[in-house]
Amino acid sequence: MNNTQPELPGMPDKPQGELFATNQSSKSKGPIYCLGMTFENEKDRRAYFTELLREKLKDPEFRSIEGFPIGEDEDILALSDPPYYTACPNPWIDDYIELWEAEKPEQPEGWTYHREPFASAVREGKYHPIYRIHSYGTKAPHRAIMKYILHYTNPGDIVFDGFCGTGMTGIAAKMCGNKKEIEDLGYIVREDGIIYQETLDSEGEKQYSPLSKIGSRKVILNDLSPIATYIAHNINSPLNYFEFENEARKIINEVEHECSWMYETKHTDGRLGEINYMVWSDVFICPSCSEEVIFWDSAIDKEGGKFLDEFYCENCKAKLSKNIIERAWITVFDDILNEKFTQAKQVPVLVNYSVDGSRYIKKPDKFDLELIQKIERLKIPYKVPTEHLPKGFNTDQPIKSHGISHVHHFYTKRNLWVFASIFDKIRNPDLTILVTKLLFRNTKMYLFSYQNGTWGAGGGTTAGNLFIPSLSKELNIFGRLNDSLKSRIMVRDYFNKSYDFSVSTSSMSKFAEIPDEVMDYIFLDPPFGSNLNYSEINFLWESWIKVWTNNKLEAIENTIQGKGINEYRKIMIKCFKEAYRLLKPGRWLTIEFSNTKAYVWNNIQSAIVESGFIISNVSVLDKKRGGFKSMTTPTAVKQDLIISAYKPNGGFINRFNQEAETEQGVWDFIQTHLSYLPVVKTNNNVLQHIPERDPRILYDQVVSYYVRNGFMVPVSSREFQAGLRQRFAERDGMMFLPQEVAEYDQAKLR
């Protein structure tokens, strides 16, 4: 056990069940119990563990841990909330595991763990208020993950997610103790806490069978990205919403008092209004007359809501297309860097504003243009992120297409000013999430689009990209800030006041110096091939929080990082081997997979198997609505796949090592493997074939397992097929254990 904190004199001992409790009325008031210690309040707790982390950061060996983020000590400390969350590898993970194990209820004598794979297709949407607290490249709805956690675990079990993103697995583990959330999944929770699911009896009549038990699970979250782990910690943490809202509104009011004049406009009758958004258009040069062509004025069918493939120069009437005209460029002076830059010319073309509660649209007038010029002449009195975009696959487009080479170039001057002012005034790091939610949306990347007959409806940034559109929508930040605050407050009733989780920032390839076989269940949603370049996309966010992803071990295909499919596969093997090391024998690993390329799918399967896991089932996770790419790209995957794999239990492994060179070892493997396969698989009450029970697939599993463990397979394919049918029952080309046949036959009759 890695006990890094010293004992404090005079600290009273606490019962194990109270080690992670916090005061029910307030997060900040005491007493606070944390890792066996008592503090007067959260401020004292945070200060104490921050000093321990400060000393830890001075250790070169600690900083050499795989995936250690890029950043100064003070920035890492400012972002962290130790011991619950560290913006670096978390040195208290081992302490949490030991305490959580001690808290587990005792199981009855003779109890053994066994679950079939969760074989049903899952369909959960993205519109739950928790899901919408904060955007991110990809994430699974927490209600979908809940179904897997309820199926595979018991209350108090330890769940691990090594690619946690924004922490939906943490939310799911916590919501396993929320009766309403469980019932909204279609389950029934009885007074004794037993959860029942609807099934069919032998006559095809509805009945309810026990599934699980209500109660939150403990969860350890990890990600390579500091912005991901910051969001994961924040949305999983208990929060004093009264204090949070008061502090947030105070800052918003201060900044609004300072900057609201930047979003003023004039109505036709001279009354002042407030800008809701302003539309900016690219400008091109006509090759015939060399005059400027404003994209919005010439290349848009405004009534039909379409971008025209061909259009005409308003000056010389020459027929044009976007492929043959060149962009207009201007040289601008950047007063932040004190340098001149050449950037694509964009001009304001539309203003959507409100006066006395009514909304209007107009072309920018003299007042609007002079206001923009005035703001451009002023110098922002706060620090702003000025990092140069790294060389990358996604950073190439904004640099080449628009000359956006630094982080602050993604923002208009007034939006940059407002963000910088807010960051300057934040003293409580919990509040930063209100701004990080907007840092991606309130940029020049926000597309002005046409939807349901209306210009300005829909739109947004292109997920997983740094794309600058030809029509961008500059949003008024203050309206978005209030929406962000409301979305955080809206979820207050979902969370209890305890810390049932721990968050770390490091590579999954070597997660932490903790013992083997300590996790009860693992859920992973890893990066897949070249789907998303997370470190490049997150660079924009992370430049504001001053801690960046160390992408040396980022699992990705990226030629600029020098990573092809082989490098990606090697990193994923390391990650899955670490998952295998951490998982208890006989327990389950669930992997969410999304990629259109067969070779990536094959490499993922190979990496899973090579690490020691045995794949049991593949089913569908339907998020109901995908991102922009998944809805518009013909080759995009509309549904994710869920891979269920298990770690063989210790008894089988010991027997196999003794029997591997005999035929008995083969049948022992099949006997064990069949018990980990789904017996019945249905889709819309239609019985499905289970390919994993096909005799040919079973032989492939035998060969794979033997070769991976360094043994020769003692039977040929023909001998295997004959022996299989002698020892096991066959139905519809699938093999079953004797005790499974009745269940399958009843399902088939139904």
Side-chain angles (χ1 to χ4, degrees), residues 54 57-58 63 68 71-78:
R54 189 188 306 277
L57 289 170
K58 296 176 183 178
R63 294 192 73 98
F68 197 98
E72 299 297 326
D73 287 5
E74 290 307 312
D75 294 317
I76 292 172
L77 292 168

Side-chain angles (χ1 to χ4, degrees), residues 355-400:
V355 177
D356 296 333
S358 298
R359 293 175 75 103
Y360 303 91
I361 297 176
K362 67 171 185 175
K363 288 186 176 181
D365 54 27
K366 181 181 178 182
F367 180 91
D368 300 311
L369 298 177
E370 288 180 348
L371 179 63
I372 291 171
Q373 292 173 1
K374 178 182 177 181
I375 296 169
E376 289 297 324
R377 288 193 298 267
L378 295 173
K379 192 169 182 66
I380 297 175
Y382 308 104
K383 290 182 179 180
V384 299
T386 58
E387 282 70 25
H388 194 289
L389 295 182
K391 188 177 181 181
F393 180 83
N394 289 117
T395 54
D396 194 48
Q397 190 273 338
I399 293 173
K400 289 186 176 179

Side-chain angles (χ1 to χ4, degrees), residues 98 248 346 354 562 719 748:
E98 185 169 327
Q346 289 187 315
S354 295
E719 292 168 336
K748 188 174 181 180

Side-chain angles (χ1 to χ4, degrees), residues 442-645:
N442 282 62
T443 62
K444 296 175 183 178
M445 296 186 289
Y446 199 106
L447 171 68
F448 180 64
S449 67
Y450 182 88
Q451 184 173 306
N452 299 326
T454 304
W455 279 102
T461 57
T462 304
N465 216 320
L466 296 175
F467 175 75
I468 307 294
S470 289
L471 292 175
S472 63
K473 182 176 176 181
E474 179 196 11
L475 298 165
N476 182 327
I477 291 181
F478 293 112
R480 308 285 78 75
L481 272 172
N482 286 303
D483 290 343
S484 180
L485 179 57
K486 287 177 185 176
S487 70
R488 190 69 177 95
I489 300 300
M490 189 183 297
V491 300
R492 71 177 74 193
D493 294 332
Y494 287 98
F495 296 97
N496 57 37
K497 306 300 181 188
S498 63
Y499 282 93
D500 296 326
F501 69 97
S502 181
V503 186
S504 181
T505 311
S506 63
S507 172
M508 163 118 192
S509 58
K510 192 175 188 305
F511 171 60
E513 294 294 336
I514 57 177
D516 298 346
E517 302 180 347
V518 292
M519 307 299 181
D520 295 297
Y521 171 64
I522 297 178
F523 182 94
L524 299 179
D525 182 6
F528 291 101
S530 58
N531 270 17
L532 279 176
N533 296 272
Y534 286 97
S535 63
E536 295 179 14
I537 303 302
N538 293 349
F539 187 83
L540 190 68
W541 269 314
E542 293 173 353
S543 294
W544 285 91
I545 62 175
K546 299 299 180 185
V547 187
W548 292 269
T549 300
N550 181 343
N551 66 11
K552 182 178 180 181
L553 285 170
E554 183 179 17
I556 194 171
E557 285 181 273
N558 185 306
T559 54
I560 294 170
Q561 290 187 26
K563 296 173 184 172
I565 188 62
N566 288 331
E567 288 75 20
Y568 168 74
R569 178 176 174 274
K570 288 176 183 177
I571 294 174
M572 289 309 303
I573 289 173
K574 287 186 69 177
C575 293
F576 288 137
K577 282 187 175 180
E578 183 69 351
Y580 188 88
R581 179 184 77 82
L582 294 173
L583 190 63
K584 293 178 179 178
R587 301 297 182 119
W588 288 91
L589 164 71
T590 300
I591 302 166
E592 183 181 350
F593 173 87
S594 177
N595 196 290
T596 59
K597 300 172 183 174
Y599 73 86
V600 177
W601 165 246
N602 292 334
N603 274 275
I604 279 290
Q605 290 189 93
S606 173
I608 295 169
V609 171
E610 190 169 334
S611 64
F613 288 103
I614 301 176
I615 295 175
S616 170
N617 183 67
V618 179
S619 55
V620 170
L621 170 59
D622 183 359
K623 298 177 182 176
K624 294 187 181 179
R625 178 180 173 85
F628 181 79
K629 284 185 179 180
S630 68
M631 292 186 289
T632 58
T633 309
T635 58
V637 176
K638 299 298 190 295
Q639 297 175 332
D640 290 1
L641 297 178
I642 291 290
I643 306 167
S644 299

Side-chain angles (χ1 to χ4, degrees), residues 140-161:
H142 75 272
R143 283 185 172 175
I145 306 174
M146 277 179 70
K147 293 181 178 180
Y148 297 103
I149 294 178
L150 287 171
H151 177 83
Y152 287 118
T153 69
N154 300 308
D157 277 358
I158 301 174
V159 178
F160 176 61
D161 185 348

Side-chain angles (χ1 to χ4, degrees), residues 236-285:
N236 276 278
S237 294
L239 194 65
N240 184 314
Y241 286 95
F242 178 77
E243 292 180 4
F244 181 85
E245 185 172 7
N246 280 349
E247 290 182 55
R249 293 205 182 279
K250 180 181 177 182
I251 292 174
I252 293 172
N253 290 339
E254 286 180 11
V255 179
E256 194 164 12
H257 180 74
E258 173 191 353
C259 301
S260 60
W261 63 271
M262 298 181 187
Y263 300 92
E264 289 179 348
T265 189
K266 277 192 176 179
H267 194 38
T268 52
D269 60 7
R271 285 181 295 164
L272 282 177
E274 181 183 16
I275 295 173
N276 299 312
Y277 63 81
M278 181 174 283
V279 180
W280 293 75
S281 171
D282 278 350
V283 180
F284 295 88
I285 300 297

Side-chain angles (χ1 to χ4, degrees), residues 201-240:
D201 63 17
S202 58
E203 303 299 324
E205 299 294 327
K206 289 183 181 179
Q207 66 176 13
Y208 289 92
S209 303
L211 166 72
S212 188
K213 191 168 185 177
I214 189 171
S216 65
R217 278 64 168 165
K218 314 296 185 182
V219 64
I220 293 172
L221 303 172
N222 177 73
D223 202 279
L224 195 65
S225 165
I227 188 61
T229 57
Y230 167 75
I231 299 167
H233 161 70
N234 195 290
I235 67 174
N236 276 278
S237 294
L239 194 65
N240 184 314

